[in-house]
């Protein structure tokens, strides 16, 4: 019988792509999502891609009794991949309590329910924000976690601490935390992609929406950073490559290959690109020059970060494969498809 995986935030950007890869790998998936930043129709799109039915529960992970019902209904759950969280750096600075409540309570609820229903495996969606501004680049997993630059980053640090402390107290618990760098792109079928509600908080949908005319201009936050062109540098990873890392992490758990009950890995490409470089590459692959303006720095942003992925490459046997050009082109094709849908509705 195939193993059943609970994917929280499964209709979101990374969750939906991971659900596809899980189903392609033969896993059965139950999605839980409160649809605060996604749409229920994503579950249908996933089914279109894989040809497999996805169970979908419209539930908020901070609601303990509703989650208890999900665990009871779908028992046994063999593992959890926990994506459900608020995730915009800028918004977290303005609404810290929302971020602490949503991101911490959801994890604590899951850990309590895992014990109750004897589910021992969880893959946690962490972030390179746990490093703050690293002293040395590329950043390795051995780098110290510094004071977070934003409440969002701090929630990821605290969640990792909660997981580590629980692993120390509960020897049955198996955790892999994946520290993502910047996920971008869309599925090659253009059936799923990044679908922000309202004004995008992430760079790529803002670029594509500006290029297609939804946004008047793209704001680039600062050109006075200590980088070659003055704009922030990040490690941009294709969302399908990232999704595959979750499948590999799960397989590692089920095959008992873990070296300790708490492991964590950088998931990136190992290459840093500036915001202005990304805009330039997007223009080359799409043939469209997005209108942009340099504005002042944004609170919570770090200057530069990119991954040393040696540990994930060697231990997980995983590495990023897609080029940034193909990835940006996939994001543009996704935007063009969304534009067609918008025109149909008019």
């Amino acid at each position: 019988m195939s193993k059943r995986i609970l994917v929280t935030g499964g209709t979101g950007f990374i969750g939906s792509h991971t659900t596809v890869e899980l189903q392609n790998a033969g896993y059965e998936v139950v999605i839980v999502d409160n649809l605060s930043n996604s749409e229920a129709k994503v579950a249908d799109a996933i089914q279109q891609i894989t040809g497999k039915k996805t169970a979908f529960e419209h539930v908020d992970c901070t609601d303990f009794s509703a989650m208890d019902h999900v665990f009871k209904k779908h028992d046994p759950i063999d593992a959890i991949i926990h994506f459900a969280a608020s995730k915009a750096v800028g918004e977290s600075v303005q609404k810290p309590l929302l971020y602490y409540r949503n991101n911490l309570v959801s994890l604590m609820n899951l850990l309590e329910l895992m014990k109750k229903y004897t589910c021992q495996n969880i893959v946690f969606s962490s972030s390179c924000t746990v490093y703050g501004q690293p002293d040395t680049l590329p950043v390795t997993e051995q780098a110290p976690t510094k004071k977070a630059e934003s409440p969002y980053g701090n929630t990821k640090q605290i969640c990792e601490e909660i997981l580590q402390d629980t692993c120390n107290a509960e020897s049955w618990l198996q955790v892999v935390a994946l520290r993502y760098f910047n996920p971008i792109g869309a599925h090659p079928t253009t059936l799923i992609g990044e679908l922000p509600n309202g004004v995008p908080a992430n760079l790529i949908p803002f670029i594509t929406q500006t290029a297609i005319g939804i946004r008047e201009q793209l704001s680039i936050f600062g050109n006075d950073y200590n980088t070659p062109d003055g704009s922030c540098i990040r490690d941009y990873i294709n969302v399908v490559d990232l999704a595959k890392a979750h499948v590999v992490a799960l397989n590692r758990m089920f095959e008992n290959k873990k070296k300790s009950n708490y492991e964590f890995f950088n998931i990136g490409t190992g290459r840093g690109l500036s915001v202005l470089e990304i805009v330039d590459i997007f223009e080359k692959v799409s043939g469209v020059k997005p209108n942009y303006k340099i504005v002042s720095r944004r609170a919570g942003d770090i200057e530069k970060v990119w991954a040393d992925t040696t540990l994930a490459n060697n231990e997980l046997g995983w590495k990023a494969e897609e080029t940034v050009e193909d990835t940006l082109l996939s994001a543009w094709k996704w935007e063009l498809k969304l534009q067609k849908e918008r025109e149909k509705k008019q």
Side-chain angles (χ1 to χ4, degrees):
M1 190 174 124
S2 69
K3 291 199 177 335
R4 186 175 298 142
I5 315 301
L6 180 71
V7 179
T8 72
T11 54
F13 177 42
I14 307 171
S16 59
H17 288 80
T18 301
T19 297
V20 166
E21 296 306 320
L22 288 168
Q23 290 187 332
N24 286 344
Y27 289 111
E28 184 188 332
V29 178
V30 178
I31 287 175
V32 168
D33 206 301
N34 69 357
L35 303 179
S36 62
N37 197 30
S38 61
E39 295 178 14
K41 67 178 184 184
V42 173
D44 300 327
I46 291 167
Q47 192 172 334
Q48 242 183 298
I49 296 169
T50 64
K52 292 173 184 170
K53 181 85 182 123
T54 311
F56 172 70
E57 301 287 350
H58 184 192
V59 168
D60 191 310
C61 290
T62 61
D63 183 337
F64 186 87
S65 62
M67 285 302 294
D68 190 27
H69 178 72
V70 169
F71 271 76
K72 196 176 290 172
K73 180 177 172 183
H74 297 283
D75 194 32
I77 290 165
D78 298 291
I80 296 167
I81 303 184
H82 182 40
F83 296 108
S86 302
K87 63 176 181 60
V89 167
E91 184 188 49
S92 79
V93 175
Q94 290 149 6
K95 300 178 182 175
L97 289 180
L98 170 81
Y99 274 68
Y100 286 114
R101 183 178 297 112
N102 199 17
N103 296 6
L104 303 186
V105 173
S106 59
L107 177 64
M108 290 189 284
N109 283 350
L110 284 174
L111 289 169
E112 284 184 42
L113 289 164
M114 285 173 75
K115 186 166 191 176
K116 181 176 175 180
Y117 289 92
T118 59
C119 168
Q120 65 183 54
N121 304 300
I122 183 166
V123 178
F124 177 65
S125 166
S126 192
S127 164
C128 64
T129 54
V130 300
Y131 297 117
Q133 179 57 65
D135 296 325
T136 311
L137 288 165
V139 65
T140 73
E141 288 84 352
Q142 276 64 56
T145 54
K146 293 186 171 186
K147 181 170 169 48
E149 300 279 340
S150 67
Y152 163 71
N154 200 28
T155 66
K156 290 298 182 186
Q157 285 187 354
I158 295 166
C159 283
E160 283 205 24
E161 286 166 4
I162 289 169
L163 286 163
Q164 231 164 341
D165 290 343
T166 312
C167 277
N168 290 339
E170 308 277 5
S171 58
W172 55 267
L173 182 63
Q174 298 293 322
V175 176
V176 175
L178 299 181
R179 294 174 174 173
Y180 316 154
F181 284 69
N182 286 54
I184 62 169
H187 198 266
T189 59
T190 69
L191 287 166
I192 54 173
E194 197 163 1
L195 198 61
N197 285 345
V199 180
N202 291 344
L203 176 64
I204 304 307
F206 216 112
I207 289 176
T208 60
Q209 288 188 10
T210 305
I212 215 151
I214 295 172
R215 307 280 157 207
E216 207 173 301
Q217 67 181 16
L218 166 71
S219 295
I220 292 177
F221 299 105
N223 66 344
D224 57 349
Y225 286 101
N226 182 26
T227 61
D229 62 23
S231 66
C232 288
I233 290 176
R234 296 289 182 271
D235 185 334
Y236 296 93
I237 177 167
N238 183 289
V239 67
V240 177
D241 278 338
L242 175 59
K244 288 174 178 171
H246 295 80
V247 180
V248 172
L250 269 190
N251 292 344
R252 181 177 174 84
M253 286 172 157
F254 290 137
E255 291 163 12
N256 293 320
K257 288 183 176 169
K258 287 173 83 261
K259 293 189 173 163
S260 72
N261 69 335
Y262 183 81
E263 293 186 326
F264 49 95
F265 299 96
N266 285 341
I267 304 295
T269 65
R271 178 187 179 197
L273 289 165
S274 76
V275 174
L276 287 168
E277 281 178 303
I278 287 286
V279 171
D280 188 44
I281 296 166
F282 175 81
E283 187 186 336
K284 287 194 179 89
V285 299
S286 69
V288 182
K289 185 179 177 66
N291 177 33
Y292 70 84
K293 179 183 166 190
I294 307 291
V295 298
S296 56
R297 293 183 181 195
R298 179 173 61 177
D301 276 343
I302 63 165
E303 183 167 86
K304 51 193 167 189
V305 67
W306 62 94
D308 183 322
T309 60
T310 308
L311 191 67
N313 302 158
N314 293 345
E315 281 294 317
L316 296 176
W318 169 92
K319 71 175 197 298
E321 289 172 354
E322 298 296 328
T323 66
V324 69
E325 288 80 8
D326 286 347
T327 304
L328 287 171
L329 186 58
S330 73
W332 180 233
K333 285 177 177 171
W334 166 245
E335 190 64 64
L336 292 169
K337 185 220 178 200
L338 292 177
Q339 180 68 0
K340 276 186 190 162
E341 288 176 6
R342 288 189 285 264
E343 285 166 1
K344 268 186 204 166
K345 283 179 187 169
Q346 286 171 357

